[in-house]
Amino acid sequence: MRRGLLELSVLALLEGEASYGYEIVNRLAAVPQLASGEGTLYPLLRRLRREGLLEAFWQESAAGPPRQYYRLTPGGRATLNRMRRQWRELAKGIGHLLDPREPKP
Amino acid sequence: MTTPSPVVARYLDQLAHGLADCGLPADDSQEIAREIESHLADAAAAGTPIAESIRRLGSPQELARAYAVELLLRPAPRPRRQAWRSAAAVLTSLLTYAIAGALLVLGGALAIAGVVGTLAGLFAPWMPFEPTLRSGLPQIVVLCGSLVLGGLGVLLLRLVRTAWRIARARPRSVNVSQKEKLP
């Protein structure tokens, strides 16, 4: 389940603008529960790209070697929307289970 | 572009080897190594010691294995179009078998008719059943017609053999093209 959440988080991060591995790692670190180490994230990025959800391009960096940027493909956007809907329904359902005063899904 | 430090260079080299050992194509391995190099450069620029960055990434072997698990054990889902394509392939090969069967029967019949007709044309005058075979046509017409029919039959048989070979080769070529898509 954590893997699915990490995937959802990466897609959501890239919804607004393209980004590169190091930046994605640092932004994901804001949610420590995801436990997304560098060693997990880079292989995940590769798989999402191979599944056609992300596309990658190289861009020069002022500081050092070029960076590989990622952005959502139309398929990635559709998957993100589907996963976001599922996550919200699940969160609502669990919320109601934990506290019946919360609204039913 | 600055050259990476010996520690980083060794890490990247071992990573590329580890990825190649896991069966990733050389292009992919090189690109992954370049991406990790850029990651280490960004981390160093932000003040993270190289040893700490490498500890977080894991050993080159561990990182390569993580890629292998993510990429090889979870192959990309087959696009739906592919299902249609394989259905179309089954239909066309069925059609090829049907046509090949019909041509085989036709070719065989023509070849036999040609041989029998030629023999009848040559030997009919001395055979007791001459009138029924010649059926009123001049002997030379029966002879030439039979030879043409026989030749046509042999041609059809060759055509069937080729079609048969193509029909049998097709499933294997589909498999090969699918395998190439895997990393």
Side-chain angles (χ1 to χ4, degrees):
Chain A
M1 177 165 151
R2 195 177 277 167
R3 287 170 68 90
L5 288 181
L6 184 57
E7 190 173 323
L8 170 62
S9 309
V10 169
L11 293 178
L13 262 182
L14 294 172
E15 188 180 19
E17 54 179 348
S19 184
Y20 55 98
Y22 184 73
E23 191 179 65
I24 298 173
V25 166
N26 284 329
R27 290 179 63 189
L28 287 175
V31 190
Q33 291 83 356
L34 282 174
S36 61
E38 290 85 329
T40 318
L41 179 79
Y42 281 101
L44 174 71
L45 286 171
R46 194 88 193 167
R47 173 168 66 82
L48 294 179
R49 184 177 156 195
R50 217 186 68 194
E51 287 177 350
L53 304 183
L54 299 182
E55 57 189 1
F57 59 99
W58 286 90
Q59 195 161 300
E60 291 298 327
S61 137
R67 292 166 175 152
Q68 177 148 255
Y69 278 74
Y70 296 90
R71 66 175 158 233
L72 288 187
T73 62
R77 201 167 291 278
T79 302
L80 168 62
N81 288 331
R82 182 171 49 78
M83 288 179 82
R84 180 158 36 206
R85 212 169 40 239
Q86 286 171 347
W87 164 253
R88 287 191 175 139
E89 279 164 16
L90 177 68
K92 237 193 242 173
I94 300 284
H96 180 73
L97 274 181
L98 295 180
D99 183 354
R101 283 169 300 182
E102 284 191 23
K104 269 188 189 172
Chain B
M1 193 171 121
T2 54
T3 46
S5 74
V7 178
V8 171
R10 195 171 62 240
Y11 185 90
L12 297 175
D13 191 50
Q14 288 177 351
L15 174 63
H17 272 99
L19 291 168
D21 288 346
C22 289
L24 258 86
D27 284 359
D28 288 10
S29 304
Q30 290 305 322
E31 197 181 48
I32 288 169
R34 278 174 66 206
E35 182 173 38
I36 297 301
E37 179 189 355
S38 139
H39 170 89
L40 290 172
D42 275 327
T48 313
I50 283 294
E52 170 64 12
S53 302
I54 285 180
R55 193 192 58 76
R56 284 195 208 160
L57 279 169
S59 74
Q61 292 77 20
E62 281 167 354
L63 186 55
R65 213 172 308 127
Y67 271 102
V69 168
E70 195 73 53
L71 295 176
L72 296 176
L73 300 185
R74 302 182 53 159
R78 275 169 59 167
R80 200 165 293 164
R81 198 153 33 103
Q82 196 118 14
W84 282 109
R85 209 180 295 156
S86 59
V90 167
L91 266 182
T92 41
S93 62
L94 275 181
L95 210 65
T96 315
Y97 281 123
I99 291 174
L103 287 181
L104 189 72
V105 170
L106 193 65
L110 285 180
I112 290 169
V115 169
V116 168
T118 309
L119 288 177
L122 284 174
F123 300 113
W126 301 281
M127 282 185 173
F129 47 86
E130 171 216 1
T132 48
L133 274 173
R134 277 174 68 182
S135 60
L137 285 169
Q139 193 157 334
I140 187 72
V141 172
V142 175
L143 193 69
C144 292
S146 303
L147 278 174
V148 168
L149 284 181
L152 212 63
V154 171
L155 265 179
L156 279 179
L157 280 176
R158 294 192 67 114
L159 194 72
V160 166
R161 235 179 50 188
T162 319
W164 190 261
R165 220 176 289 154
I166 292 172
R168 286 182 65 114
R170 179 166 298 150
R172 208 188 306 160
S173 70
V174 166
N175 275 344
V176 166
S177 69
Q178 278 172 359
K179 224 177 251 170
E180 277 166 358
K181 276 190 195 148
L182 295 174

